Amino acid sequence: MSRLRITEIFYSLQGESSTIGKPTLFVRLTGCPLRCVWCDTEYAFTGGAYREIADLIKEIESFNPQNICITGGEPLAQKEPCEELMRILCDKGYSVSIETSGAIDVSGVDKRVTKVMDLKAPDSGELAKNRYENLAFLNKTDEVKFVIMSRKDYDWAKMQMDQYQLADKTNVIFSPCFGEINERELAEWIIADNLPVRFQLQMHKLLWDDAAGH
């Protein structure tokens, strides 16, 4: 089997996406080719330790989880072994999701995996990294997430929704950038425009103040 560079494995509550609040085992892979200005996991850019997938599976099984989230960093930066790990976990009957930046091809991700994929808005600093071809590989069980830092980001996100008919294809999340935008203001914009999106606060930051391991 292959190996993966791992920053941490921890059991917590899912703080984002449609499974928010559910007990979830997180497998955080090391490394990311992006440098979003609001990134909250810079500690996963470097370091970590290489682990054989067989050993990872044993540790994962020791938690007896129902839900597993593969995250980063950018987990698909370690594309082939990451996809292999997810296939094995799906074969074992786990509910598996991946949090990905949208900058790397997702076509090889097992169809049983829920893809939670970003589209990077202008104020992220990584607008040019969006891989719009990935939208063709999303379905009704997947999610597109926009981190909104400003009114400019909000208006841009609305344009993407219209251009790509996102609400007809998949679930759409608007998440306020923590500490950078008034959450209530974003909520009121969504209500005023009657957008078919899910407004999302990052629950783990409210509970644990963004501490690692949560």
Side-chain angles (χ1 to χ4, degrees):
M1 282 188 180
S2 307
R3 62 179 189 163
L4 286 160
R5 192 152 56 109
I6 303 295
T7 292
E8 58 184 348
I9 298 175
F10 61 95
Y11 196 63
S12 187
L13 299 181
Q14 176 59 266
E16 305 184 70
S17 79
S18 61
T19 58
I20 190 168
K22 288 189 175 183
T24 301
L25 182 69
F26 293 85
V27 181
R28 189 180 303 283
L29 277 60
T30 308
C32 183
L34 281 71
R35 292 295 183 267
C36 300
V37 299
W38 37 252
C39 181
D40 56 6
T41 51
E42 293 177 332
Y43 64 91
F45 287 169
T46 58
Y50 280 102
R51 301 279 304 276
E52 297 291 333
I53 286 182
D55 290 337
L56 280 175
I57 296 296
K58 289 179 182 177
E59 181 172 354
I60 288 168
E61 289 177 333
S62 73
F63 287 90
N64 193 28
Q66 291 185 332
N67 304 293
I68 300 171
C69 179
I70 309 300
T71 188
E74 168 49 71
L76 289 176
Q78 302 180 65
K79 187 170 174 51
E80 292 183 5
C82 178
E83 291 172 351
E84 179 183 351
L85 173 64
M86 291 188 290
R87 282 195 299 271
I88 293 170
L89 293 174
C90 288
D91 288 345
K92 288 180 174 290
Y94 294 110
S95 176
V96 181
S97 64
I98 182 170
E99 296 178 339
T100 178
S101 65
I104 297 177
D105 178 21
V106 301
S107 63
V109 174
D110 193 291
K111 290 180 172 57
R112 295 169 291 180
V113 174
T114 298
K115 296 178 287 293
V116 182
M117 191 188 85
D118 287 358
L119 278 181
K120 302 298 185 185
D123 284 345
S124 72
E126 292 287 20
L127 178 66
K129 299 287 180 63
N130 285 324
R131 184 183 173 91
Y132 295 97
E133 304 97 304
N134 280 334
L135 295 174
F137 300 102
L138 302 183
N139 57 44
K140 287 288 190 179
T141 63
D142 296 322
E143 303 173 23
V144 170
K145 182 177 70 176
F146 295 92
V147 176
I148 306 296
M149 197 171 176
S150 64
R151 180 73 200 203
K152 179 174 72 173
D153 281 355
Y154 175 80
D155 290 337
W156 178 86
K158 286 200 304 177
M159 289 175 58
Q160 308 316 300
M161 289 187 66
D162 289 341
Q163 181 174 349
Y164 296 102
Q165 297 294 293
L166 293 180
D168 294 333
K169 297 175 181 177
T170 192
N171 302 288
V172 182
I173 294 172
F174 277 29
S175 181
C177 185
F178 191 74
E180 297 292 339
I181 188 172
N182 184 286
E183 294 90 346
R184 183 180 297 178
E185 190 171 30
L186 174 57
E188 289 173 349
W189 294 342
I190 292 171
I191 293 167
D193 289 336
N194 195 27
L195 290 187
V197 304
R198 178 192 295 266
F199 172 80
Q200 171 192 276
L201 294 174
Q202 293 176 295
M203 187 184 72
H204 52 292
K205 293 185 178 180
L206 300 176
L207 292 176
W208 292 292
D209 197 26
D210 209 23
H214 293 288

